[in-house]
Amino acid sequence: KQWYQRRVRAEEQATGQHAEQTTGFRFPEPINPSLNVLIASDKKVKSWLITDSIMRHINEFSLKFRKYRLCFQRIDRTGSKALLGSNLIQKIGREKPHLITIHLGINDIQKGSDSNEIVDNFKAFLERVSVSSPSTKLIISLPLLTGQSHHDRQVVALRRLLSRWVRKVNDEDQPIDIMHTRIFLQSNFQLLSSDDDSNCTQNTRYFNPEDPLHLSTKGKQSITCALRSTIEKIFKDINPPDPFCYHDGNY
């Protein structure tokens, strides 16, 4: 990893120095460096979780990846409409987090919001983030079933719409690799009875029997592990191990 860091710094310095010598132009310092450069540096990676009560009591310490110097912050919001609040957008523009995970939607449904309206809020949020902090990547964590059939039909519809939207964004962007991908999807199927949205129920072992809307201890552990896996995959694909460096006991 140290060898890779030195190589990245050398390439950046060589490119900047050559341009300055030949044209007199000096490249400005990046406001928010791309994740591959950031991981190779010694700077902290800022990761936010915007969520309602569903993920409010997970083990946040387990989301602080020490090897990536990940600095974790949870931001509580009650619904998708709150994503568009000026205070949040200004905070994003000011602090420029590198990753934002969003887990919202259930409260919207319980208040009578239509699934298309909720997805429109997510779309508007992505557009505003792309302007205020272009390097920020989003992870959309799909909402979980509530155990109430009249709400769960709407939750299933919302999950489908969000999945289609994320695929559409990536199809339109056509990112060449993970580093250039703006938005990722976390399906959370492990918390359902099957991986088919059209025919699934809550996996009851992961939900509180006295309050089926919220997760049990096992459920909190499961969704935290899923988020860890998503973040780890993003980082690993951006910064693969150097084949010429010693790591994990192998050359």
Side-chain angles (χ1 to χ4, degrees):
K1 184 175 180 180
Q2 292 177 350
W3 175 86
Y4 178 77
Q5 292 173 348
R6 289 196 298 271
R7 184 181 67 184
V8 170
R9 293 193 187 102
E11 290 176 352
E12 290 175 340
Q13 291 173 0
T15 301
Q17 290 171 358
H18 177 71
E20 188 173 0
Q21 291 170 359
T22 56
T23 66
F25 175 77
R26 183 177 181 84
F27 283 97
E29 290 294 324
I31 296 176
N32 189 18
S34 60
L35 272 176
N36 66 323
V37 174
L38 187 69
I39 292 172
S41 73
D42 57 358
K43 298 179 181 179
K44 290 184 178 181
V45 177
K46 289 178 279 188
S47 177
W48 291 5
L49 169 63
I50 302 177
T51 185
D52 50 24
S53 60
I54 299 297
M55 293 182 69
R56 191 169 295 162
H57 303 292
I58 63 172
N59 181 4
E60 297 179 2
F61 181 79
S62 65
L63 295 174
K64 298 178 181 180
F65 286 79
R66 184 177 300 176
K67 62 181 175 181
Y68 298 125
R69 304 166 310 284
L70 195 148
C71 181
F72 177 82
Q73 180 179 357
R74 191 191 75 240
I75 298 177
D76 295 331
R77 291 293 184 272
T78 57
S80 61
K81 190 70 174 179
L83 291 172
L84 308 181
S86 59
N87 289 341
L88 178 59
I89 300 301
Q90 290 172 6
K91 179 179 173 68
I92 292 171
R94 184 172 60 252
E95 300 186 23
K96 301 192 182 303
H98 304 97
L99 292 174
I100 298 179
T101 301
I102 306 172
H103 187 94
L104 294 170
I106 297 300
N107 288 337
D108 297 287
I109 288 175
Q110 291 191 323
K111 292 178 180 178
S113 297
D114 178 77
S115 297
N116 289 288
E117 178 185 348
I118 300 170
V119 175
D120 286 343
N121 291 334
F122 278 77
K123 292 178 180 178
F125 180 70
L126 175 62
E127 292 175 1
R128 297 186 186 188
V129 169
S130 297
V131 172
S132 61
S133 183
S135 296
T136 297
K137 300 180 183 299
L138 301 186
I139 300 173
I140 306 300
S141 176
L142 293 185
L144 310 176
L145 298 181
T146 65
Q148 302 170 347
S149 58
H150 59 290
H151 283 151
D152 283 347
R153 286 190 292 270
Q154 295 171 281
V155 175
V156 168
L158 177 58
R159 288 173 58 89
R160 288 176 177 171
L161 288 173
L162 285 172
S163 298
R164 291 171 187 168
W165 168 59
V166 171
R167 287 196 296 268
K168 182 179 179 182
V169 170
N170 287 326
D171 287 344
E172 292 174 351
D173 287 352
Q174 293 187 341
I176 57 176
D177 54 26
I178 288 286
M179 186 179 70
H180 295 87
T181 302
R182 287 192 296 163
I183 188 167
F184 301 86
L185 188 70
Q186 182 175 306
S187 63
N188 297 318
F189 275 121
Q190 79 280 8
L191 298 167
L192 309 180
S193 61
S194 73
D195 57 2
D196 180 6
D197 273 327
S198 62
N199 185 28
C200 67
T201 58
Q202 281 187 340
N203 188 334
T204 55
R205 65 181 295 196
Y206 293 125
F207 290 84
N208 187 338
E210 299 177 358
D211 180 14
L213 181 63
H214 293 95
L215 296 168
S216 64
T217 300
K218 283 187 176 181
K220 294 172 188 175
Q221 293 171 347
S222 178
I223 201 166
T224 303
C225 287
L227 181 52
R228 275 184 59 89
S229 296
T230 301
I231 295 174
E232 178 78 358
K233 176 174 173 52
I234 294 171
F235 285 153
K236 277 188 173 180
D237 286 353
I238 286 176
N239 186 30
D242 191 331
F244 298 103
C245 286
Y246 181 83
H247 59 90
D248 292 336
N250 297 307
Y251 285 98

